[in-house]
Amino acid sequence: MRTIVTTSHKPDPRSVAIAGWAAEVLNTEFVDRSRMSLDDLKIKCNTDNIMVVANGDIKLYSSRGEYFFHPSMSVPRIKAIRQGKSDHMVAAMALQPGDSVLDCTLGLGSDAIVASFIAGPEGQVTGIEAVPEIALIVKHGMANFRTESQPLKSAMVRIQVECALYEQYLAGLPDQAFDIVYFDPMFRHPRMKSSSMEPLRGIVKDDPLSPDAVREAIRVAGKRVVMKENSFSKEFARLGFNSIVGGRYSPVAFGVIEKRGQDYE
Ligand SMILES: C[S@@+](CC[C@H](N)C(=O)[O-])C[C@H]1O[C@@H](n2cnc3c(N)ncnc32)[C@H](O)[C@@H]1O
């Protein structure tokens, strides 16, 4: 279903400019809101998906709810890391300051923000997202999110967001272009209703990861390929992730394919 773009009833000039930019990026209509309610706009434009720009922020309204950018779980995770606690994703990546990470499934960006925090200014995190609406909101959100936390802000603004299919993006990269290639595909058996993903359920791309994509990721990774899934998922074995990192009682785990010292020719 197509997404249209509009503003609040009395938008400031910056919001109008952002809405125009969003409509151009999404190659869709910018609809003058006038005094119309969102329900009236949905009927008039025959769509459930409306992107609204208000006070410089972007919100997506779908039939399943509303989504706007928030760093969500990255905030307590970064706080815990700064207190010296471990993070399973960071451990699975064996992530070090200065590393480069290709996050093939950027989604709402939480994992990428944590990776960027650890990789630091000497490192580089690039996030790939197939769905243009999500890529746009997350890109705008990371660049403009208002926070007092400088480490969080710096981690977000350093992330390079690309709207693309990871299959195509990987194919265009040279061997060992990134230290770590990361996948967090939509779980084959969703664990529970995730409140932050719920408004996006009808929009996200939820195809399974393919063995071909994993092969390409191994070629592009200098150090490791990592995949997140349910702890007992058969996806790990199907795709060749033989080493698993995760807490004993954690519902999610991280499969690791270590590149160094192994022959993947
Ligand atoms: C479970 S979410 C990732 C959540 C993310 N790790 C986070 O911290 O918010 C998976 C995301 O990958 C995207 N995706 C799925 N297949 C893709 C593909 N082939 N190329 C690029 N993005 C893809 C989906 O649209 C979805 O937004």
Side-chain angles (χ1 to χ4, degrees):
M1 185 171 278
R2 82 197 163 106
T3 299
I4 58 147
V5 182
T6 189
T7 60
S8 49
H9 292 291
K10 288 184 181 166
D12 56 285
R14 181 165 170 259
S15 294
V16 175
I18 293 169
W21 164 74
E24 200 177 313
V25 171
L26 298 178
N27 193 18
T28 189
E29 285 163 77
F30 168 72
V31 181
D32 187 357
R33 177 77 180 266
S34 306
R35 303 200 61 76
M36 254 184 289
S37 70
L38 288 184
D39 284 340
D40 288 345
L41 262 186
K42 283 182 182 180
I43 294 166
K44 181 184 170 207
C45 300
N46 192 27
T47 183
D48 275 343
N49 297 342
I50 303 188
M51 200 173 259
V52 180
V53 185
N55 300 322
D57 296 325
I58 308 178
K59 244 186 207 181
L60 179 67
Y61 293 82
S62 75
S63 57
R64 291 174 184 255
E66 55 186 72
Y67 168 67
F68 54 93
F69 174 78
H70 190 278
S72 72
M73 284 308 292
S74 68
V75 175
R77 284 171 67 190
I78 288 176
K79 190 172 172 199
I81 292 168
R82 294 180 84 194
Q83 288 169 348
K85 295 180 183 147
S86 65
D87 181 277
H88 293 315
M89 181 196 78
V90 173
M93 292 180 176
L95 190 58
Q96 301 289 330
D99 279 344
S100 56
V101 179
L102 180 65
D103 180 350
C104 287
T105 49
L106 179 70
L108 314 183
S110 290
D111 288 337
I113 295 169
V114 174
S116 176
F117 171 72
I118 298 289
E122 307 299 320
Q124 163 60 35
V125 175
T126 298
I128 310 295
E129 173 54 52
V131 178
E133 289 87 341
I134 299 176
L136 185 140
I137 291 178
V138 172
K139 183 175 184 149
H140 177 80
M142 283 179 172
N144 294 285
F145 189 75
R146 294 176 281 279
T147 171
E148 303 274 292
S149 167
Q150 197 49 44
L152 176 67
K153 182 77 192 159
S154 309
M156 289 192 291
V157 297
R158 283 196 300 266
I159 297 170
Q160 186 185 333
V161 176
E162 301 285 348
C163 181
L165 287 170
Y166 59 66
E167 293 88 341
Q168 289 174 4
Y169 198 87
L170 285 166
L173 290 172
D175 295 358
Q176 303 189 9
F178 285 85
D179 292 314
I180 294 129
V181 178
Y182 177 65
F183 296 100
D184 174 15
M186 300 299 287
F187 290 172
R188 290 305 88 203
H189 301 284
R191 220 162 22 95
M192 61 180 96
K193 283 194 171 178
S194 149
S195 55
S196 51
M197 284 310 271
E198 195 49 30
L200 302 172
R201 286 249 168 241
I203 297 173
V204 285
K205 191 163 166 54
D206 60 1
D207 303 334
L209 188 54
S210 73
D212 281 351
V214 174
R215 256 191 300 280
E216 270 296 88
I218 291 169
R219 180 186 67 75
V220 167
K223 295 181 180 172
R224 287 177 172 208
V225 180
V226 175
M227 179 184 74
K228 177 155 95 178
E229 247 292 354
N230 277 322
S231 290
F232 299 104
S233 172
K234 293 182 175 150
E235 290 295 273
F236 293 122
R238 179 179 77 83
L239 295 163
F241 290 87
N242 295 323
S243 167
I244 309 293
V245 174
R248 188 188 293 192
Y249 303 109
S250 174
V252 300
F254 296 84
V256 178
I257 297 175
E258 175 94 48
K259 188 77 184 289
R260 283 219 173 114
Q262 298 193 31
D263 186 4
Y264 285 102
E265 297 296 298

